[in-house]
Amino acid sequence: MGKLIRLELFNFKSYKGHHVLRLGDSYFTSVIGPNGSGKSNSMDAISFVLGIKSSHLRSAHLRDLVFRGRVLRTSKINGDGSATTNGVNGHAASDDEDSRNNTQERNDPKSAWVVAVYEDDAGDELFWKRTITNQGVSEYRINDRVVTAQQYNEALEAENILIKARNFLVFQGDVEAIASQSPRDLTRLIEQISGSLEYKAEYEKLQAQQEEALENQNFTLHKRRGFNSEIKQYTDQKNEADNYAKKADERDQAIVTHILWKLYHFQRVIEESGAEIQRHQEELKEQRRGIEKYDRALDEAKKDQARFSKDVSKVERAIKKKEKDIESKENGLLPIAEKIDITNRNLGKCNSRIADISKERDMHASNVKQASKDLKVVEKAQAQWKAEYQKLAEQEGRALSEADLQEYNRLKEDVNKRTSADQIKVDNLSRQQKVDEENVKSLKSSVDTFEFQVERLNGELTEITERKRDTEGQIKQTTQEINGKKKAFNEHTSERLRLAQLRTEKDEKLQEVLNKLLEAEDGRKQNERDLRLKFTVADMKRMFPGVRGRVSELCKPVEKRFQTAVSTVLGRNFDAVIVENERTAIECIRYLREQRRGQATFIPLDTIQFTTLNSTLKGQHRGSRMALDTINYDRALERAFSYVCGNAIICDDLTIAKQMCWEKHNDVKAVTLDGSIIHRGGNMTGGQGGKSDVKRWEDTEVENLGKLQEKLVSELAALPEIRRGASEEEVLQGELTGLGQKLTFLQEERRAYERNQASKQKELAHFQQELKGAKPKYQQKLRELQELEASLDEYYNAVGAVQDQVFANFCHRLGYSNIRAYEVQQGSLQQEGAQKKLEFSTQKSRLQSRIKYEQQQLDETKSRIRVLEDRSHQDGALIRELRKEQESSQNDLDALMVELDQLTEQSEQVKSKHRQKGEKVAEQRQEVQKRGKSVDATLKAISSLETERQLNASGRYTLLRRCKLEDINIPLEEDSRSLGQLPLDDVLQTDVDAMDVDEDQERSALLPSGVQDYGIEIDFDELDEDLRESDDDRVEAGLLENIKNLNGELENMAPNMRAVERLGLVQDRLKTTDKDYEDARKRAKKARDDFQTIKEKRFELFSKAFTHISEQIKPIYKELTKDAHLPMGGQAYLDMEDSDEPYLDGIKYHAMPPLKRFRDMEHLSGGEKTMAALALLFAVHSYQPSPFFVLDEVDAALDNANVAKIANYIRDHARPGMQFIVISLKTGLFQNSEALVGIYRDQGANSSKALTLDVSITVLPSYTRRNIGDLTFATVA
């Protein structure tokens, strides 16, 4: 292998201009230099020229690798050669320097390049060059020939320089990263070295394709097996279906025979019953003629009784209303009396308070008067004193002679001349002293006044606070008393009202029930057919959960006046049965047929079809409404009631109905409240056709009313007697009113205290603020005055010395100690006068302040008296209004009592007449019952026959309907209508127009009911003679048993009737699936083979590299860790977690330093980790080694002993084919080098520069190898 002989740099990072790093012929070269000189930039240059990306060279962009002079001049060079920008002494550069920097920045180079000169085995030199162009992109050249990046990498790989593996470059920090890397990171490193990583993407892709192909193959295999199983299954089902069809034909014929047998006997009973009914109806006509007179008399008696019942109810309601009014008036009088009493007490308190405040007003007025009087006395004394003072000054004054006076003046002028300067200062200071004394007196007076006001306001606030606290205590106590009284009052009132209301409600309900029972007809009876239908529906409800009930039971008119109209609208659906679904309806029909329980129409909620309601019909007329809106029903049954009611409307009278149908052109059925109908076709029907159905609603109500009457009577008997605690409630009400007034007064008083307190606090804060500002001023002025007086004394003393000298002879001759004694005698009277004036002024000021304060208090008391007088007038007016209201309420109460007495007498009279009418109704009812027994017997016989006739007709219709629904073909006569024309919505009332007749129910009993045969005539020729002769249940049981047996066999067979169709489909799909399976199997085999091939390649490459590294790491680590004392060295090995596919899991690296037990890598010391990591790096490099190995400060964490071991290892292994280039600061490492490349910083050129020294041929007489690190390099040309 060749070697790297030199490196040329041009404007690369910290290297300005062209620089050459000569590596020479040595195989162990060390790059040294101080921190910040740019050693690591030489490592970056080697990496850059070998094609490493800029992101691995501590730069984000290629342009960052170009030399930048401005940055270097204003930056600090770090230990790794990078630059940190800052200003001079840590501050930003000045404007001049910024200007220079900007000029330099424009002159900075825009491109850079690095050339690596490599000598191959043949001795030829190869020039590898990588350039950063002005555009900031890379340009690659080999021997000055431009090539692509791919060609550049291929040329490097030809020399075994693997850029992707980077096993020949160890940057700063790589050793620590390798020592702390995880097993999976180590696996990835070996994959990069071995080249197996290039197959990873293809490996994962083929693996996913293999899994997908296998999954697809399994899916088609399972699908194929499923189709085979289905073919076998459908073949068996086809045979079962053929047998089933034969057995079904036998069953159908047995059903037809059974139906013909039942239809034959139904037809026979219908004909016989019709003839018998005709005979009984003739007898009933004769009986009816004799009983009509008594019925009319009973109806008249009932009407009279009902009229008096209404009168009784009306009078009793009026009595109860009057009693409530009286009670309300009585309860209203009590609060009025209590309010009058409380207001009187408040008025007394208010007057008492006015008297107390009036006394306080008089006291303040007296104080004002007395203070004014004292002020006049002081002023008079001051005037008298002034006169006496003037006289005394004249008496005590000592007169000088004219010569003495002239001499005094001359000497005075002499003194003034000699002390003119001091006199001027004395005069100025004296004037200032007077001004300051006045200011001090003024400030002292203000301070005294403010202190007096603060003290006064504090006292008043204390008093107000105590009064407010007492008032709040009273408010709290009063509130508690009010709550207790309210609770007791509410309990008494609520209990009394509850009992009264409960008794009133139950009395009203009982009276209403009694009135309804009196109005109802006690002799009403249900006919046998209705009872039978009712019991039948009840049985079906128990047997079939989906049965809801009859339409008449599930709805009720919202008002009684709608009963006739609603029953007319329902018509033939009145007794229809509502069920959940069609299946339930079919089961109920089968049950009725088998049990011979008659016929019924069923409305299934899930399949019923109804017309959407026409919302435009609502609101067209006030007397018209939708029929559906006049009934109450469960909303879950809305579909059924929408069907039975449709768009029918109910009108108040026939006129409105005509207007809705004809004038407004609404195509609807209109029904009036009396039962008249305007059909959609325009025809009209009138009469009493719906009364029977209305009575059926009333029958149910009568039963319920009877039960409700018994319940109400027992509840009334159980209620306790109402004892009206009016007196106690009145007392509580009065106490509550009084406490309320008291609470209002206390709250108003508290608010007054609060307002007064706030005002006083505001005033106190003002005076305190004033005092706070005035006191410092006073003290400051006082100190200034004292200082002024001291200065004045000094000047006085200086002037006095001159005066004593000048006036010495003058004073001696006149007998004065000095001239000042003479002047004092003359000025003492003036001083006494000033003192007296000050005393008079102080007394007058104090009296004036007192007068002002007392006048304020006087005005305040007058204001309070005015407020209390206004309140007193209001209370007086309120008392007068309350007494008027009390008198008016008492008059109203007397009038109500009189009206109550009159209503009580009227009630007794009406009740007496009502009892007489009741007795007459009972007599008439007995007469009707006596004569109605024979009619009832005949009606019962007719009803029984009619019921039997209708039951058979219903049975016949049900069988025919069943044949239509179940598609059963029965033989018919030639002129018969087909079963397809049979209607499916018929009910027990077989006469479709039953609701449209004008006759009542009793009269309708005289006429035979028609039986509808729907034009269908059965051909009974196929029916055997023995089946025609007997209608015994045993015959039917035999027929049903035969059908049951056939059905049982069919049910047990349960064939799949679509088996033949499904069989053909499955066979076609099986052919397609067979083809799909074969294709999937081929694809799976190909995917498996492709994956196995790439897997073997990846495994082979990885295993080859792992085996080599694992074998080399043991001796390398041993060589690195042994020494003279430990010749065996340490142990290191690699452990593979997955031997089948090792690249999928991690590889653990274990190292045991000499004389140390086994521990995980993270538990080793820093130096031990570094040695282990270096051993791993050397072992990795030994696999497909590159011609050179560049190490950047790998000895940073090692001590001297370990550094010496690393140096010995490199020196021993440095040879052709293994060139070491080491960047280091450790002497122990680079002193063993064959050549040294020194990097230093040229501050003048603002650039890094290089020096080369061949240690192997250099003679150093004054240095040894141990101190080679201290060598100072000389510049080499």
Side-chain angles (χ1 to χ4, degrees), residues 99 106 163 385 580 688 747 873 1023 1179 1204:
S99 176
R106 290 193 296 269
I163 301 302
W385 171 82
E580 290 286 350
Q688 301 177 353
Q747 289 175 344
H873 293 325
L1023 189 63

mmCIF file of all heavy atoms in Angstrom, residues 99 106 163 385 580 688 747 873 1023 1179 1204:
data_model
loop_
_atom_site.group_PDB
_atom_site.id
_atom_site.type_symbol
_atom_site.label_atom_id
_atom_site.label_comp_id
_atom_site.label_asym_id
_atom_site.label_seq_id
_atom_site.Cartn_x
_atom_site.Cartn_y
_atom_site.Cartn_z
ATOM 1 N N SER A 99 -15.873 49.292 10.412
ATOM 2 C CA SER A 99 -15.635 49.749 9.036
ATOM 3 C C SER A 99 -14.509 48.960 8.395
ATOM 4 O O SER A 99 -14.596 48.526 7.248
ATOM 5 C CB SER A 99 -15.335 51.255 9.047
ATOM 6 O OG SER A 99 -15.018 51.707 7.764
ATOM 7 N N ARG A 106 -15.206 42.185 2.495
ATOM 8 C CA ARG A 106 -15.356 42.223 1.042
ATOM 9 C C ARG A 106 -14.134 41.645 0.338
ATOM 10 O O ARG A 106 -14.220 41.169 -0.786
ATOM 11 C CB ARG A 106 -15.599 43.668 0.594
ATOM 12 C CG ARG A 106 -16.966 44.222 0.988
ATOM 13 C CD ARG A 106 -17.241 45.508 0.258
ATOM 14 N NE ARG A 106 -16.290 46.550 0.632
ATOM 15 C CZ ARG A 106 -16.473 47.413 1.623
ATOM 16 N NH1 ARG A 106 -17.576 47.319 2.374
ATOM 17 N NH2 ARG A 106 -15.582 48.341 1.891
ATOM 18 N N ILE A 163 -14.621 5.504 2.362
ATOM 19 C CA ILE A 163 -15.184 6.719 2.937
ATOM 20 C C ILE A 163 -16.399 6.410 3.817
ATOM 21 O O ILE A 163 -16.568 6.981 4.896
ATOM 22 C CB ILE A 163 -15.589 7.695 1.810
ATOM 23 C CG1 ILE A 163 -14.368 8.047 0.952
ATOM 24 C CG2 ILE A 163 -16.202 8.967 2.389
ATOM 25 C CD1 ILE A 163 -13.243 8.658 1.746
ATOM 26 N N TRP A 385 -56.605 97.161 79.014
ATOM 27 C CA TRP A 385 -55.150 97.011 79.239
ATOM 28 C C TRP A 385 -54.346 97.969 78.357
ATOM 29 O O TRP A 385 -53.351 98.543 78.780
ATOM 30 C CB TRP A 385 -54.738 95.556 78.968
ATOM 31 C CG TRP A 385 -53.236 95.397 78.960
ATOM 32 C CD1 TRP A 385 -52.412 95.264 80.012
ATOM 33 C CD2 TRP A 385 -52.423 95.400 77.793
ATOM 34 N NE1 TRP A 385 -51.115 95.180 79.628
ATOM 35 C CE2 TRP A 385 -51.095 95.253 78.244
ATOM 36 C CE3 TRP A 385 -52.687 95.537 76.438
ATOM 37 C CZ2 TRP A 385 -50.014 95.221 77.361
ATOM 38 C CZ3 TRP A 385 -51.609 95.492 75.594
ATOM 39 C CH2 TRP A 385 -50.284 95.335 76.034
ATOM 40 N N GLU A 580 -97.034 -5.597 17.826
ATOM 41 C CA GLU A 580 -95.697 -5.072 17.517
ATOM 42 C C GLU A 580 -95.310 -5.294 16.057
ATOM 43 O O GLU A 580 -94.768 -4.418 15.411
ATOM 44 C CB GLU A 580 -94.647 -5.722 18.440
ATOM 45 C CG GLU A 580 -94.737 -5.293 19.885
ATOM 46 C CD GLU A 580 -94.220 -3.883 20.084
ATOM 47 O OE1 GLU A 580 -93.632 -3.339 19.139
ATOM 48 O OE2 GLU A 580 -94.432 -3.313 21.163
ATOM 49 N N GLN A 688 -127.039 8.635 15.410
ATOM 50 C CA GLN A 688 -126.410 8.268 16.683
ATOM 51 C C GLN A 688 -125.648 6.965 16.569
ATOM 52 O O GLN A 688 -125.685 6.121 17.453
ATOM 53 C CB GLN A 688 -127.485 8.145 17.767
ATOM 54 C CG GLN A 688 -128.281 9.433 17.968
ATOM 55 C CD GLN A 688 -129.363 9.254 18.992
ATOM 56 O OE1 GLN A 688 -129.607 8.172 19.464
ATOM 57 N NE2 GLN A 688 -130.059 10.348 19.312
ATOM 58 N N GLN A 747 -81.309 48.731 61.138
ATOM 59 C CA GLN A 747 -80.464 48.766 59.940
ATOM 60 C C GLN A 747 -80.259 50.198 59.450
ATOM 61 O O GLN A 747 -79.158 50.579 59.047
ATOM 62 C CB GLN A 747 -81.094 47.917 58.839
ATOM 63 C CG GLN A 747 -81.026 46.414 59.117
ATOM 64 C CD GLN A 747 -81.756 45.606 58.084
ATOM 65 O OE1 GLN A 747 -82.561 46.144 57.329
ATOM 66 N NE2 GLN A 747 -81.501 44.297 58.063
ATOM 67 N N HIS A 873 -93.814 62.561 61.312
ATOM 68 C CA HIS A 873 -94.979 62.892 60.463
ATOM 69 C C HIS A 873 -95.356 61.714 59.565
ATOM 70 O O HIS A 873 -96.547 61.422 59.382
ATOM 71 C CB HIS A 873 -94.639 64.110 59.604
ATOM 72 C CG HIS A 873 -94.450 65.376 60.401
ATOM 73 N ND1 HIS A 873 -95.176 65.688 61.546
ATOM 74 C CD2 HIS A 873 -93.567 66.433 60.236
ATOM 75 C CE1 HIS A 873 -94.794 66.844 62.034
ATOM 76 N NE2 HIS A 873 -93.795 67.326 61.266
ATOM 77 N N LEU A 1023 -114.088 -32.570 -0.822
ATOM 78 C CA LEU A 1023 -114.197 -32.950 0.581
ATOM 79 C C LEU A 1023 -114.963 -34.271 0.690
ATOM 80 O O LEU A 1023 -116.056 -34.423 0.122
ATOM 81 C CB LEU A 1023 -114.918 -31.841 1.368
ATOM 82 C CG LEU A 1023 -114.918 -31.991 2.883
ATOM 83 C CD1 LEU A 1023 -113.493 -31.924 3.424
ATOM 84 C CD2 LEU A 1023 -115.772 -30.901 3.537
ATOM 85 N N ALA A 1179 -8.448 -2.843 15.935
ATOM 86 C CA ALA A 1179 -8.928 -4.113 15.388
ATOM 87 C C ALA A 1179 -9.827 -3.874 14.183
ATOM 88 O O ALA A 1179 -9.759 -4.583 13.183
ATOM 89 C CB ALA A 1179 -9.678 -4.896 16.465
ATOM 90 N N ALA A 1204 2.312 6.066 27.008
ATOM 91 C CA ALA A 1204 3.541 5.392 26.563
ATOM 92 C C ALA A 1204 3.213 4.078 25.875
ATOM 93 O O ALA A 1204 3.833 3.697 24.875
ATOM 94 C CB ALA A 1204 4.460 5.164 27.755
#
